[in-house]
Amino acid sequence: GGYEEQATDPPSFSLPHRPHIMARSVKPRTGTIDYRKARKARFAAPSHVRRLLMSAALSKELRSKYNVKAMPVRKDDEVQIRTGAFKGREGKVIQVYRKKWVIYVDKIQREKSNGATVNVAVNPNKCIITKLKIDKDRNALLKKKARVPKADKGKVTKEDVSMAQVD
């Protein structure tokens, strides 16, 4: 009376042309808490992912205006340095160097020993965006990211009630 193997029929459905797509939709992708894997993913990240990782907080004025806490930094944004030797200095972003994980700000420079001036690399996490360069894509992203204030969340207004009665 042990376990007996039974013959089973092959599945009656056919797999799609690209089965890896089906596997992805069936099994949700989960992140990892492994420190080594997280670091590898960060430093091996492609450029479009680095754009998001190279974000900076918005100033209090911009935060209240757009209801957004942080945005990816881009060329022509104006930023203020929060920490380090250049703390408090402001300037316009002249380059976002994703390969090196840094931004260059126009008034943040140092003099080399031969007398030439060079831009100093700044970590975007150590900056606050004080002025955004707005275009239609950036505007759409701001609208998408805008947070609903907690006070208004889930509240039913008189207009909602009157519209429900009409229906």
Side-chain angles (χ1 to χ4, degrees):
Y3 174 76
E4 293 175 11
E5 200 172 317
Q6 294 178 351
T8 56
D9 293 331
S12 59
F13 66 92
S14 61
L15 287 171
H17 177 64
R18 298 186 310 189
H20 62 278
I21 302 233
M22 186 181 124
R24 223 181 260 153
S25 63
V26 171
K27 187 177 175 187
R29 291 177 64 193
T30 55
T32 179
I33 57 167
D34 189 336
Y35 180 70
R36 182 193 293 185
K37 287 180 184 176
R39 282 180 58 82
K40 181 173 183 182
R42 180 181 179 83
F43 295 117
S47 183
H48 72 283
V49 175
R50 286 183 185 215
R51 175 183 158 271
L52 298 173
L53 293 172
M54 293 176 66
S55 292
L58 267 56
S59 66
K60 287 184 179 176
E61 297 81 33
L62 290 176
R63 196 180 294 193
S64 61
K65 181 178 178 183
Y66 295 112
N67 275 334
V68 175
K69 203 170 184 180
M71 285 286 286
V73 179
R74 68 167 282 182
K75 187 177 172 181
D76 295 333
D77 281 348
E78 287 185 24
V79 297
Q80 179 181 16
I81 313 298
R82 282 195 301 194
T83 62
F86 299 101
K87 181 177 179 177
R89 302 261 303 269
E90 287 193 52
K92 188 181 274 195
V93 177
I94 53 176
Q95 184 184 6
V96 179
Y97 202 153
R98 293 184 192 169
K99 189 174 183 181
K100 288 189 175 181
W101 296 93
V102 295
I103 61 173
Y104 293 107
V105 183
D106 65 349
K107 295 172 188 166
I108 311 297
Q109 296 172 329
R110 67 184 268 287
E111 198 170 302
K112 288 169 67 172
S113 58
N114 67 1
T117 58
V118 290
N119 291 313
V120 177
V122 178
N123 188 333
N125 299 337
K126 309 301 179 199
C127 299
I128 297 175
I129 299 175
T130 54
K131 190 175 177 190
L132 289 166
K133 182 180 191 309
I134 300 285
D135 58 12
K136 67 178 175 70
D137 294 328
R138 207 107 191 262
N139 227 351
L141 181 62
L142 282 168
K143 282 190 175 74
K144 184 175 138 185
K145 285 184 76 158
R147 297 208 241 165
V148 178
K150 285 190 176 178
D152 297 340
K153 217 176 210 181
K155 278 197 174 177
V156 179
T157 61
K158 289 181 181 178
E159 294 141 19
D160 294 338
V161 173
S162 63
M163 289 304 290
Q165 290 172 351
V166 169
D167 292 339

